Amino acid sequence: MPATSVIGAQWGDEGKGKIIDLATDRADVVVRFQGGANAGHTVIVEGNKFVFHLLPSGVLREDKLNVLANGVVIDPVVLLDEVGQFENRGISLDGRLRVSGAAHCVMPYHRVLDGLREGQKAGVVIGTTGRGIGPAYADKANRCGIRMWDLIDEDRLRARLAANVHEKNRLFTRMFESDPLDFDEMFEVARAQGRKLKPLVSDTGALLREALAADKHVFFEGAQGVMLDLDHGTYPFVTSSNSDSLGIAAGTGVPPRAIGHQIGVAKAYCTRVGAGPFPSELHDDRGERLREGGGEFGATTGRPRRCGWFDVPAARYAAELCGFDGLALTKLDVLSGMEEIGLVVAYEIDGETVESYPVDTPLIERAKPIVKMFPGWSEDVRAVRSFQELPATCRAFVEEISARVGVRWEIVSVGPGRESTIIREAP
Ligand code: GDP
Ligand code: IMO
Ligand code: MG
């Protein structure tokens, strides 16, 4: 059976968690393939709220196998804490969670370095989540990282950790004039984590290829979104992994052709957390209205999200890059009661009208939005369960987004709960 993926089509927080929880109903295996505890996916089931940072959102469905694949960077503190939190709520992960031995660990010095780099007066400040993600991926690329295989083997752990702590401490003390970290203490903590996590660690690439060969339904859960992708997003204001479907094969160890159906998730407006260009951003009370109405505050850091209109050129770029088969459009309910709703259909850059998304970041920084206004709707749509019942202006807005982005809408979400969803029949 071909695999399915759910990918953020904007700058993250599109509502992937809700869509993944909904769609994994039919999955056998749910896989995270990139990112780490920088993600914050909120899922609401029967009024109960669950926030995922590292665990796949498939955890809520009892019979699913959950995988943290090789492309994820894993902070053992967060992983053990999150597993514990779910167990405390009566959701056992016993036998349902596998962690790739090739996944890299986020170590205490990565978190410290993330903070020190962001605190510098000179240089670019990204507004990271402070979870040590960038430094962990940098060590991976530098070939000095500690993988899960190393964490669970005391001798390998000791040798690799010693080399890293030695190097990082020189950096902390000499370059940042900060305090060094204690090796012995870090080793003891890491060794204990390795012992606890050992039963979960395996070759998940082989496991996934076997699952695909056995015709299991494998589901890939994206974190962040296309516009935060390291290679294809608004560099340097991005995360440090391939946070679109291009990262799936490398991040899991399955052939690219395994990915069958791709769902791009987008809000009916746009948000962004952290620094970086955001052409459709609203700096007035309409932006404030979206933030308050949509509860747009980060699930990981609590930071207020920047808000703006739906950006068509950016979403079309995301769709073309990933090859989305279907669009899940979320948070339509948040727009209820707005007299007029904007859609950014093109940009003006240096006096020229540009309809496609320019990938060179300074051009996006200079882009002024060209906005088409739509009449809004006053009805509360949260109880609506069929497309035909939506107000005509709301339907027209959805259809126009779908047509301009060039992807058939497949799911419309009108509230945070599982039930507040309109699913379109396959053609
Ligand atoms: P993710 O990172 O893409 O999983 O998104 P987040 O969970 O960070 O942010 C989306 C937020 O919107 C969460 O609080 C969800 O519960 C909520 N949400 C998802 N879909 C809808 C929707 O259709 N309407 C409303 N009002 N909230 C939604
Ligand atoms: P989910 O999965 C929104 C942003 C940060 C920052 C940049 C780099 O919930 O959609 P990092 O800590 O990754 O080095 O930060 O990326 N960012 C997110 N923004 N949602 C996320 O995850 C994000 N993960 C990282 O705000 O601008
Ligand atoms: Mg989020």
Side-chain angles (χ1 to χ4, degrees):
M1 180 184 285
T4 304
S5 68
V6 167
I7 302 293
Q10 295 163 325
W11 282 271
D13 303 324
E14 298 90 348
K16 297 178 291 295
K18 167 179 165 161
I19 302 299
I20 290 156
D21 168 67
L22 194 77
T24 48
D25 183 19
R26 289 167 292 121
D28 297 301
V29 191
V30 187
V31 190
R32 275 232 13 218
F33 59 92
Q34 49 72 230
N38 47 351
H41 301 170
T42 304
V43 179
I44 296 180
V45 183
E46 287 162 13
N48 298 310
K49 179 172 165 178
F50 301 89
V51 182
F52 298 85
H53 295 294
L54 207 40
L55 290 175
S57 307
V59 158
L60 294 180
R61 301 206 179 253
E62 273 170 18
D63 51 340
K64 314 297 174 200
L65 182 67
N66 295 275
V67 174
L68 295 176
N70 60 278
V72 180
V73 287
I74 298 172
D75 187 331
V77 179
V78 180
L79 179 56
L80 289 165
D81 181 59
E82 212 162 289
V83 169
Q85 280 184 35
F86 279 95
E87 306 237 310
N88 287 342
R89 293 178 74 172
I91 299 166
S92 169
L93 280 133
D94 234 6
R96 296 203 295 132
L97 178 64
R98 298 277 185 283
V99 176
S100 167
H104 280 246
C105 297
V106 177
M107 301 304 287
Y109 45 82
H110 293 135
R111 268 177 270 134
V112 172
L113 191 53
D114 197 355
L116 289 171
R117 292 202 63 178
E118 286 283 291
Q120 283 185 114
K121 288 187 185 70
V124 181
V125 173
I126 311 290
T128 70
T129 59
R131 297 295 190 266
I133 305 297
Y137 277 115
D139 278 1
K140 174 178 177 173
N142 259 334
R143 291 148 298 179
C144 65
I146 293 177
R147 305 206 290 178
M148 290 305 294
W149 297 127
D150 304 317
L151 189 79
I152 61 173
D153 178 320
E154 279 189 33
D155 293 336
R156 277 157 70 171
L157 174 65
R158 188 190 301 276
R160 291 192 77 84
L161 191 63
N164 271 292
V165 173
H166 178 70
E167 187 193 84
K168 262 65 174 193
N169 275 347
R170 285 166 72 101
L171 189 69
F172 292 162
T173 53
R174 298 189 183 185
M175 186 176 158
F176 289 99
E177 295 169 354
S178 174
D179 297 331
L181 301 179
D182 184 62
F183 168 78
D184 292 327
E185 193 187 322
M186 202 186 303
F187 176 68
E188 284 312 319
V189 171
R191 180 162 66 167
Q193 292 165 336
R195 282 188 187 146
K196 285 188 192 146
L197 293 172
K198 193 168 183 169
L200 307 179
V201 178
S202 66
D203 175 359
T204 57
L207 180 154
L208 292 172
R209 291 190 298 275
E210 275 165 32
L212 288 165
D215 217 24
K216 301 272 190 224
H217 189 187
V218 177
F219 201 97
F220 298 107
E221 163 170 353
Q224 293 83 50
V226 176
M227 308 311 283
L228 288 171
D229 179 275
L230 178 60
D231 287 275
H232 304 286
T234 49
Y235 191 90
F237 304 101
V238 290
T239 191
S240 301
S241 64
N242 288 120
S243 51
D244 47 41
S245 49
L246 283 69
I248 294 176
T252 59
V254 305
R257 67 165 183 274
I259 308 150
H261 191 76
Q262 297 194 56
I263 304 172
V265 188
K267 275 181 213 184
Y269 49 95
C270 264
T271 63
R272 175 165 202 163
V273 205
F278 181 12
S280 72
E281 185 169 12
L282 292 164
H283 298 280
D284 54 19
D285 54 355
R286 295 172 300 178
E288 191 57 42
R289 158 73 180 71
L290 290 173
R291 185 157 37 249
E292 290 303 322
E296 299 297 354
F297 299 88
T300 301
T301 58
R303 289 178 290 177
R305 296 173 181 155
R306 299 156 66 193
C307 296
W309 298 131
F310 188 98
D311 184 325
V312 170
R316 196 168 51 229
Y317 165 70
E320 286 170 2
L321 183 71
C322 296
F324 292 141
D325 300 291
L327 195 65
L329 201 60
T330 64
K331 304 193 100 161
L332 256 301
D333 56 305
V334 175
L335 300 179
S336 285
M338 291 185 92
E339 213 161 285
E340 277 191 315
I341 299 161
L343 196 61
V344 173
V345 293
Y347 309 127
E348 189 204 306
I349 303 175
D350 302 336
E352 305 230 355
T353 300
V354 178
E355 289 195 2
S356 59
Y357 178 81
V359 289
D360 189 14
T361 305
L363 291 178
I364 313 159
E365 283 168 337
R366 294 205 296 277
K368 297 191 189 88
I370 297 177
V371 186
K372 176 177 170 182
M373 295 309 292
F374 282 74
W377 55 91
S378 57
E379 296 91 329
D380 181 352
V381 296
R382 283 176 297 180
V384 172
R385 297 290 177 266
S386 80
F387 192 66
Q388 283 316 312
E389 282 172 60
L390 287 172
T393 45
C394 180
R395 289 201 306 267
F397 187 64
V398 173
E399 297 286 14
E400 177 122 4
I401 287 179
S402 178
R404 283 182 181 268
V405 173
V407 183
R408 178 178 183 271
W409 72 261
E410 204 167 276
I411 299 173
V412 166
S413 173
V414 291
R418 249 184 210 170
E419 66 292 348
S420 307
T421 316
I422 299 166
I423 300 174
R424 196 178 195 180
E425 295 288 316

